[in-house]
Amino acid sequence: MNLLQGVPTKSVLLAGKSPLLAMMSAVLLLRSTQESGKVDKYKEVFTAAGLPVRSISPIGFEFFDLDELYQCVSRPEGFAGIIFSSPRTVASVRRCLEENSSMEEWETSGLRAKWSALPAFSVGTSTASEAQQLGFQTVGDDSGNAENLVQLISQKIQSGQPPLLFPCGTLRRDVIPNHLQDNNIAFTGCTVYRTCPEPSLEQNLTSYLKEHGVPRAVTFFSPSGVQFSKVILEKLQIVPSSHCKFFAIGSTTERAMLDNGLLISGVSSKPSPESLLDCIRGGLERSGVS
């Protein structure tokens, strides 16, 4: 049985656009879906450039032990700052406040003001934006990756200072904790979420194909996204080809794609919509999509 029977494979050309933009009728981002009511910076930037974009999440998240995280968040005087390595780490702080207190108390108790006086080291503009909405003063928004962020932390935090609060997930990489340990910078790690496959991924991708056809560009945002979506993408015949190019956000995701035998047309050095837009444009131009 042909899984794509009845699915359009030709893209609708964008009237009045250049040949390159016309060919790029659909850009698929395999990323966590944006919370309702929040501005999607990727959609905003790509739409302004005349490129229709759709985000489909290949992964889900389960939070746990948020009461332990709240015990730390409620004691800002015991920390020199906080590290946010992804939007989920920010979401964990928000959830621990909602479940153990309230956002109103976060404002009125002085907790927000005390934390805003401390640096919130954040990887990427999306993570920083989430943290800023909670009232944190972010540092390192344009660092691009954990390797660059830890260098900035070393410049701002000295050995002997109170620990940094470091909420994280079960798939946490060792780049940040290893660097902190090597530089005698104290930190308190709180593992508060696990990554799991999105159960409706195949259904969501099938609906996407019926509406848009095979995308011109597919971008992976995390190694977990590669792991959980590769088999389903192959099943639905969304594979690298002359008409469909694969891209990565960051070197870690790039390595995961290479380990899974995926041909990569470009790697965005920073997790920002502007950087990814330039990456996709360049990758398609190099591939002869013009």
Side-chain angles (χ1 to χ4, degrees):
M1 177 181 178
N2 183 359
L3 291 168
L4 293 183
Q5 185 175 0
V7 175
T9 56
K10 289 187 177 180
S11 304
V12 178
L13 297 182
L14 298 175
K17 301 296 181 183
S18 69
L20 172 60
L21 297 187
M23 293 289 283
M24 294 174 61
S25 60
V27 176
L28 176 60
L29 308 181
L30 294 174
R31 60 189 282 256
S32 300
T33 52
Q34 192 75 14
E35 289 188 27
S36 178
K38 293 187 177 179
V39 175
D40 188 330
K41 294 296 182 63
Y42 283 89
K43 184 175 182 179
E44 190 176 68
V45 169
F46 276 72
T47 300
L51 309 179
V53 65
R54 170 81 179 277
S55 294
I56 295 180
S57 179
I59 55 182
F61 302 96
E62 298 175 350
F63 292 90
F64 58 89
D65 291 344
L66 294 179
D67 54 336
E68 295 182 14
L69 177 59
Y70 178 73
Q71 294 303 315
C72 294
V73 171
S74 62
R75 298 186 298 104
E77 64 278 359
F79 297 93
I82 189 169
I83 301 172
F84 291 123
S85 58
S86 71
R88 269 77 57 197
T89 58
V90 182
S92 70
V93 171
R94 181 185 293 276
R95 290 201 178 203
C96 87
L97 291 169
E98 293 172 343
E99 293 184 11
N100 294 276
S101 179
S102 68
M103 296 310 299
E104 181 180 359
E105 186 175 343
W106 166 250
E107 298 279 355
T108 60
S109 67
L111 277 179
R112 172 174 172 156
K114 291 178 180 177
W115 276 108
S116 69
L118 301 173
F121 298 98
S122 305
V123 176
T125 54
S126 295
T127 301
S129 177
E130 297 284 337
Q132 289 162 10
Q133 290 180 33
L134 271 182
F136 290 94
Q137 297 296 316
T138 58
V139 179
D141 306 19
D142 61 350
S143 56
N145 55 49
E147 288 80 0
N148 292 335
L149 185 67
V150 291
Q151 301 300 324
L152 181 60
I153 293 175
S154 296
Q155 297 172 15
K156 301 287 186 180
I157 304 297
Q158 305 299 318
S159 175
Q161 287 188 246
L164 293 168
L165 180 57
F166 181 34
C168 57
T170 55
L171 299 180
R172 179 192 79 182
R173 294 173 61 211
D174 292 330
V175 172
I176 292 177
N178 285 352
H179 180 88
L180 296 178
Q181 291 172 352
D182 291 344
N183 288 272
N184 296 315
I185 297 175
F187 69 96
T188 298
C190 291
T191 304
V192 288
Y193 71 89
R194 63 176 60 89
T195 305
C196 55
E198 169 54 55
S200 60
L201 176 59
E202 184 171 350
Q203 177 184 344
N204 292 339
L205 285 172
T206 300
S207 297
Y208 173 90
L209 287 173
K210 289 180 178 178
E211 182 178 355
H212 300 287
V214 176
R216 290 292 175 184
V218 178
T219 299
F220 295 85
F221 278 63
S222 69
S224 297
V226 177
Q227 175 188 351
F228 296 146
S229 63
K230 178 177 182 287
V231 172
I232 294 176
L233 289 171
E234 290 176 344
K235 180 179 179 182
L236 296 176
Q237 301 175 31
I238 304 176
V239 295
S241 69
S242 60
H243 302 294
C244 179
K245 301 301 180 182
F246 280 18
F247 297 86
I249 294 283
S251 58
T252 304
T253 303
E254 177 190 17
R255 285 195 294 271
M257 292 175 68
L258 292 174
D259 289 344
N260 280 273
L262 298 177
L263 181 64
I264 304 172
S265 294
V267 180
S268 176
S269 59
K270 294 183 178 181
S272 72
E274 295 83 4
S275 178
L276 178 59
L277 177 61
D278 289 342
C279 175
I280 290 176
R281 280 174 164 166
L284 293 182
E285 288 172 350
R286 289 191 300 273
S287 300
V289 182
S290 60

